[in-house]
Amino acid sequence: MKALWIVALIALVSGCAGPGRHELLNISSFPAKASDISAEHEIFVATTRRQSIDQPRTVYGGDRSANVAYASVDITVPRIHETGRIERAKGRAPADPAKHFTARSVSFYKEPEQFARAIDASIVENKDHRVLVFVHGFNNGFDDGVYRITQIVNDAQYSGTPVLFSWASSARTTGYLYDKESANAARDDLEATLRMLAKSKATSIDILAHSMGTWVTMETLRQLAIRGDRDLGGKLGNVVLASPDIDVDVFKKQMLRYGTPKRPFVVLLSDDDRALQLSTFISGDKPRVGDYADAADLASYGVIVADLTQARSGDRLNHAKFADNPFLVQLLGEGLRSNAGLAAAENGDLGNPMSTIGKDIGQAVGSVADIVITTPFKVLSIATGG
């Protein structure tokens, strides 16, 4: 019976995967009026993927590179965009900027110093002096990561400089083990990227990691702690771990090595995360952090746990609620924008911004559910548009 359930779950995961071709750039140009575009974003990229020479529209494929490559992508968001969604062209159809997220161009940086100068220029231009590093998860193509961070910074109204760290996922449902090894191989490269950003003009570096990307992130933070620089010279801001695909016992060891964070990390989990149910099965029925039932146990390691089980999701896997639920992505933005950030609970209080946005948006977007938040100090809940 369990075997049949796993087969059905694999089919579900495969059915919800991104487009098989994973092309970022359009086949041909598509005209669009300025009035059809709501926003344009410059997404900076550090990647351990090998450049896709034979499929240039893919830009970077799933093969691993021995060296980190650097680029930036200019991408537009259509005026018809709905918060929490990523409007993409279907199949082989070209993207229409009036209807779809559309990558206009890609710039490549031959040297890390050139990339660092471009980052500094963006930081100065944005005047927020903050950087958001997004680390994507399992079964993601390069295009998936670019579109997702664009949607997040757009919907969260993040005014800092967005940086995608794209490790070499195969972007295949059957590639779980390959992806896990690619994540392992990317740890030093993420560390080098964070150190580069710490030398920039940024005053704060926020990290948002999803799924298997949380493994790369936690291993990197563990390495930084071992080297005696766990907070990047005081520049480490919010660390948000969404749907962590990490063995619970391993996570506890990682946190013990890192130590109690000065600003508590935020863990977003959901008991109905079907992607993590499959990961649990593949990993020998060992529970993953992202669907772990004992929030108080996790909180004792110095993290804030937000249980999103009752919040609705934009897909059947319930694996990306933090970004595709309109309330949650705006709540995330509110937390990242505030000086205290999502980790204001280090003083035993989540702060007024959380409760205010919960009241306003919860009334606006439909039926009410609760986000149950467990901190090292207390347990509370806020109304959402679940």
Side-chain angles (χ1 to χ4, degrees), residues 117-197:
R117 288 194 296 270
I119 290 283
D120 271 338
S122 173
I123 291 170
V124 171
E125 182 180 357
N126 289 332
K127 299 180 181 179
D128 194 13
H129 289 183
R130 303 185 73 171
V131 170
L132 175 65
V133 178
F134 176 62
V135 188
H136 65 73
F138 158 68
N139 190 23
N140 270 227
F142 178 68
D143 58 323
D144 296 320
V146 170
Y147 284 124
R148 178 60 79 186
I149 188 175
T150 302
Q151 178 254 318
I152 290 170
V153 298
N154 186 84
D155 293 352
Q157 298 178 2
Y158 188 84
S159 58
T161 296
V163 178
L164 169 66
F165 182 80
S166 184
W167 51 276
S169 166
S170 65
R172 295 195 304 268
T173 307
T174 56
Y176 187 88
L177 295 180
Y178 176 88
D179 279 17
K180 189 61 179 287
E181 296 308 320
S182 290
N184 286 335
R187 293 172 291 186
D188 290 348
D189 300 310
L190 177 55
E191 179 182 351
T193 300
L194 292 176
R195 289 189 180 280
M196 174 193 295
L197 295 173

Side-chain angles (χ1 to χ4, degrees), residues 210-366:
H210 179 227
S211 188
M212 196 176 284
T214 64
W215 165 262
V216 186
T217 299
M218 282 303 303
E219 282 292 281
T220 299
L221 292 172
R222 178 180 179 274
Q223 290 180 185
L224 287 168
I226 291 173
R227 300 181 196 277
D229 186 25
R230 69 177 197 157
D231 63 351
L232 296 173
K235 289 190 175 184
L236 183 64
N238 297 295
V239 175
V240 182
L241 309 173
S243 308
D245 189 1
I246 306 175
D247 183 294
V248 169
D249 294 332
V250 173
F251 179 74
K252 292 176 181 179
K253 288 288 189 179
Q254 290 169 328
M255 290 302 303
L256 286 172
R257 172 58 73 178
Y258 184 86
T260 303
K262 293 180 180 178
R263 177 180 295 181
F265 298 166
V266 178
V267 174
L268 308 179
L269 54 78
S270 184
D271 188 52
D272 60 353
D273 190 322
R274 294 186 177 93
L276 290 183
Q277 291 171 10
L278 179 58
S279 176
T280 297
F281 173 78
I282 294 173
S283 303
D285 287 332
K286 296 297 293 182
R288 318 310 283 172
V289 174
D291 61 357
Y292 188 47
D294 194 344
D297 185 25
L298 294 177
S300 67
Y301 289 82
V303 303
I304 299 169
V305 181
D307 186 342
L308 312 182
T309 301
Q310 295 187 52
R312 70 171 182 265
S313 179
D315 71 86
R316 294 176 294 170
L317 293 180
N318 300 318
H319 191 53
K321 292 183 180 181
F322 75 102
D324 62 29
N325 179 293
F327 168 81
L328 295 177
V329 70
Q330 292 182 58
L331 180 64
L332 174 68
E334 181 71 21
L336 292 173
R337 288 194 302 274
S338 66
N339 290 330
L342 291 169
E346 61 188 323
N347 294 319
D349 183 14
L350 283 173
N352 292 329
M354 298 284 278
S355 58
T356 299
I357 195 171
K359 179 180 179 181
D360 294 344
I361 300 178
Q363 292 175 348
V365 298

Side-chain angles (χ1 to χ4, degrees), residues 13 36 40 48 65 81 88 102 165 189 206 285 317 325 365:
V13 172
D36 292 330
E40 182 172 353
T48 60
S65 172
H81 167 66
R88 296 188 61 171
T102 304
F165 182 80
D189 300 310
D206 299 317
D285 287 332
L317 293 180
N325 179 293
V365 298

Side-chain angles (χ1 to χ4, degrees), residues 27-76:
I27 297 173
S28 59
S29 60
F30 209 112
K33 299 177 182 178
S35 58
D36 292 330
I37 307 299
S38 68
E40 182 172 353
H41 299 276
E42 182 179 27
I43 306 299
F44 291 92
V45 178
T47 182
T48 60
R49 298 174 183 270
R50 185 180 301 170
Q51 190 169 350
S52 184
I53 304 300
D54 57 336
Q55 296 179 336
R57 289 192 296 273
T58 302
V59 187
Y60 292 101
D63 293 333
R64 302 168 190 152
S65 172
N67 301 305
V68 181
Y70 303 98
S72 63
V73 182
D74 287 327
I75 187 165
T76 59

